[in-house]
Amino acid sequence: MPSHLCALERQSDFPAEMIPGVSKLIGEMLVERGLVQLDDIKKALQLQQSTGGRIGAGLVRMGAVAEEQLLDVLAVQLELPIALVGRDLPDAGGLFSQIKQGRIDINWCIDNRIIYWQSDEQTLNYTGRDPLSAFASDVLQYHYPEFTLKPALILSHSLDVLIDYLRKELNAERFFSEGSETKGLRELAEEAPVVELVNNIFSKAVGYNASDIHLDPQEDVFRVRLRVDGILQTHLEQPIDRYPAVASRVKLISEIDIAERRLPQDGRITTRVNGREMDVRVSTLPGVHGESIVMRLLPKDRKELSLATLGLEQDHMQLVGSLMQEANGIVLVTGPTGSGKSTTLYAALQEATDGTRKILTVEDPVEYQLPGITQVQAHAEIGYTFAKALRAFLRQDPDVIMVGEIRDLETAQIAIQSALTGHLVLSTLHTNDSLSAFTRLIDMGVEPFLVAAPIKAVQAQRLVRKVCKHCAKPGHVPESINTEFANLKRDFTPAWVEAVGCAACNHTGYSGRMGVYEIVPISPELHDMIIANTPVTEMRKLARRQGHRSMYQDGLIKAARGQTTVEEVMRATNIDAD
């Protein structure tokens, strides 16, 4: 055993002498499986010395390991089953009936967080926060001497759901009174079960590599949904009675007013989850059944943030590289929310940072901090808007300016003025494709000749899911798809794949995302069309004649390489499969 783990012999989750046949300690097993680091074990031991409790619970509270992972290892170590609601456990109503009619006072079960149920006439199953405690087994055996006791492990949030149901059925007092609601919310947010539940939600989100966490209150339950590879997946449902506690905890750690539930609020959390440093943007929105909370997860470690890893084809890479060397003009990146526009600009800026140019950005919020670049946070609530920041930028002698988003006429006019006076301006717009950017700016009130003059290129993009490398299999496509690919004149033989689904990708068939792009430089012919306010369909035909690929065509190349599927490209680029 490594010397660092020797202390675990005295402080493991369950002392070895209590469990015949256990040869390895829980900390050792977690380290062997790569689920935690030795430093995490040391910190958990220190936490145990100061606060007591189990090392496993300490690791979960620290965010070092997800509870599901801990229980899987404990189940192997202790040779105990994991009780799952709907599989091993009766439903909540049946459990309430059994305990209510049993020999032990149900209030004792609620207070000690212990539940039990019969699986047959000789066996009494039980679980709780500490199913191997002598206290629990002694009490149960005293009241049920003729039964064989079988302990089981259970996820804390599953146990919380069941205990809350029992308490609700007994009409127990609510967590806080009407007269001291704010005080009650604060106390509730600090309770250990609430802290552990919120930490488990974060751990699960990071474990699944989710980009967002959605807390959605409904009439009877609230759902925890994770956006994984752009698709929302429901991972947890809990009774609505628990939601005020969870919402208050999130608002408390993101420094949002927990007493204000009538207005939208924004906050931010900096935390460490599963060994990764994270920035979390929090947004609350009042709803009929409570506040909807969305948390955007932004890892601080962005080693993969480069144009080479975003999915740009070689010709697009060269084009973006040449655009970043322009002395002046505007480069626009377009697409809907969540299509990776800001990430593309960050990657372009990071590669353009060579120490010879002054680069300024104004963002709301600053998502990633880039070395060698001055980044400014806009604060619209105090009047510090994109437009005001841009005016200040012009007195800072910049070479390159990035504006998080052109949202209004004033920002558009100052961005154009900056580009016309010797600055390279990068920004984003919310449009469906690249060439619609001109129509959008004209609709804002910018004159067509001012739109055409400074813009060097427009780029549109979407994110497509990459197929899981563990389960993808060769696929076939209609002959029309093969013909479309042949027209793109690529120098490789297509290797189409199909998504299957396995444990590694949570049975979705996909893991990770990459971009598909449409980049259109402004040619003299296109310049004249913009001034004439020509319809987008005509400009699109010109772009195709000039050899510029659509996002669908760019995605088709990636699908032919076996990086994604044709169905996924069609979904992301809104192409009818027929």
Side-chain angles (χ1 to χ4, degrees), residues 47 56-69 156-157 189-207 213 215 224 226 236 242 245-246 249-250 253 269-274 295 297:
L47 180 65
L59 289 168
V60 172
R61 291 196 68 179
M62 288 163 47
V65 66
E67 189 186 15
E68 288 89 339
Q69 296 172 322
S156 62
H157 63 75
E190 297 290 356
E191 293 220 354
V194 178
V195 174
E196 289 184 15
L197 175 57
V198 172
N199 286 347
N200 277 331
I201 291 171
F202 279 123
S203 292
K204 179 173 284 191
V206 173
I213 302 171
L215 305 182
V224 177
L226 306 180
L236 177 66
R242 286 192 59 78
V246 174
R249 177 65 187 170
V250 172
I253 60 178
I269 305 168
T270 299
T271 185
R272 180 173 177 266
V273 184
N274 292 3
M295 293 171 275
L297 304 178

Side-chain angles (χ1 to χ4, degrees), residues 444-500:
M444 283 184 186
V446 182
E447 293 294 336
F449 71 90
L450 283 176
V451 173
I455 296 181
K456 299 291 185 180
V458 287
Q459 171 180 310
Q461 65 181 71
R462 297 289 188 277
L463 294 177
V464 298
R465 294 178 292 172
K466 296 189 289 187
V467 291
C468 175
K469 296 178 181 178
H470 299 281
C471 61
K473 67 176 184 179
H476 301 281
V477 298
E479 190 56 39
S480 58
I481 300 292
N482 280 308
T483 302
E484 285 185 86
F485 174 74
N487 292 335
L488 296 174
K489 297 181 172 59
R490 296 284 125 174
D491 58 354
F492 64 91
T493 302
W496 311 105
V497 294
E498 292 181 8
V500 179

Side-chain angles (χ1 to χ4, degrees), residues 85 89-102 106 114-118 125 127 154 158-159 161-163 165-166:
V85 177
L89 281 162
D91 60 33
L95 190 65
F96 175 77
S97 298
Q98 279 200 39
I99 298 177
K100 183 67 175 175
Q101 297 169 14
I106 191 171
I114 294 170
I115 57 176
Y116 64 93
W117 66 99
Q118 283 184 238
N125 302 275
T127 188
I154 189 170
S158 296
L159 178 63
V161 169
L162 295 170
I163 294 295
Y165 183 87
L166 300 182

Side-chain angles (χ1 to χ4, degrees), residues 170-371:
L170 289 172
N171 297 315
E173 293 182 356
R174 296 187 63 85
F175 280 113
F176 50 84
S177 65
E178 294 292 334
S180 57
E181 186 170 333
T182 301
K183 180 181 177 183
L185 283 172
R186 287 189 176 277
E187 293 173 353
L188 191 59
E190 297 290 356
E191 293 220 354
V194 178
V195 174
E196 289 184 15
L197 175 57
V198 172
N199 286 347
N200 277 331
I201 291 171
F202 279 123
S203 292
K204 179 173 284 191
V206 173
Y208 280 103
N209 200 27
S211 60
D212 301 87
I213 302 171
H214 291 245
L215 305 182
D216 299 322
Q218 307 296 317
E219 184 175 1
D220 299 317
V221 299
F222 77 89
R223 294 185 299 172
V224 177
R225 296 192 292 172
L226 306 180
R227 189 176 292 281
V228 181
D229 296 334
I231 305 297
L232 277 176
Q233 302 173 4
T234 300
H235 282 266
L236 177 66
E237 283 193 357
Q238 294 235 317
I240 193 64
D241 290 348
R242 286 192 59 78
Y243 191 64
V246 174
S248 297
R249 177 65 187 170
V250 172
K251 291 167 74 174
L252 188 66
I253 60 178
S254 58
E255 299 182 354
I256 291 176
D257 183 2
I258 63 173
E260 178 57 73
R261 298 194 298 275
R262 300 166 299 172
L263 297 173
Q265 297 187 82
D266 295 302
R268 192 163 191 154
I269 305 168
T270 299
T271 185
R272 180 173 177 266
V273 184
N274 292 3
R276 299 181 66 185
E277 296 294 329
M278 306 288 294
D279 279 331
V280 184
R281 285 165 43 193
V282 181
S283 171
T284 70
L285 182 70
V288 174
H289 301 296
E291 291 174 288
S292 171
I293 298 178
V294 177
M295 293 171 275
R296 170 67 56 88
L297 304 178
L298 304 169
K300 288 187 176 181
D301 181 12
R302 299 291 295 181
K303 293 179 182 177
E304 75 278 10
L305 191 63
S306 65
L307 291 174
T309 58
L310 295 182
L312 274 77
E313 294 294 313
Q314 191 59 39
D315 55 344
H316 283 174
M317 285 269 293
Q318 294 172 353
L319 182 53
V320 172
S322 64
L323 289 170
M324 291 304 298
Q325 299 306 314
E326 293 281 352
N328 55 66
I330 296 178
V331 177
L332 292 174
V333 179
T334 71
T337 301
S339 59
K341 302 185 297 298
S342 297
T343 303
T344 298
L345 290 182
Y346 279 128
L349 285 175
Q350 188 156 293
E351 297 203 357
T353 305
D354 55 8
T356 64
R357 293 192 288 178
K358 173 81 169 183
I359 302 177
L360 299 176
T361 78
V362 56
E363 307 162 58
D364 184 19
V366 175
E367 293 188 3
Y368 307 120
Q369 296 181 11
L370 302 176

Side-chain angles (χ1 to χ4, degrees), residues 142-160:
Y142 176 79
H143 288 280
Y144 291 89
E146 73 277 21
F147 280 82
T148 300
L149 299 184
K150 284 187 63 176
L153 302 171
I154 189 170
L155 289 169
S156 62
H157 63 75
S158 296
L159 178 63
D160 292 340

Side-chain angles (χ1 to χ4, degrees), residues 313-316 488 490 517-520 543-544 547-554 557-558:
E313 294 294 313
Q314 191 59 39
D315 55 344
H316 283 174
L488 296 174
R490 296 284 125 174
Y517 304 91
E518 174 186 59
I519 306 179
V520 181
R544 301 294 171 262
H548 303 303
R549 296 190 299 276
S550 67
M551 287 182 288
Y552 167 68
Q553 292 171 327
D554 192 58
I557 294 172
K558 294 171 172 61

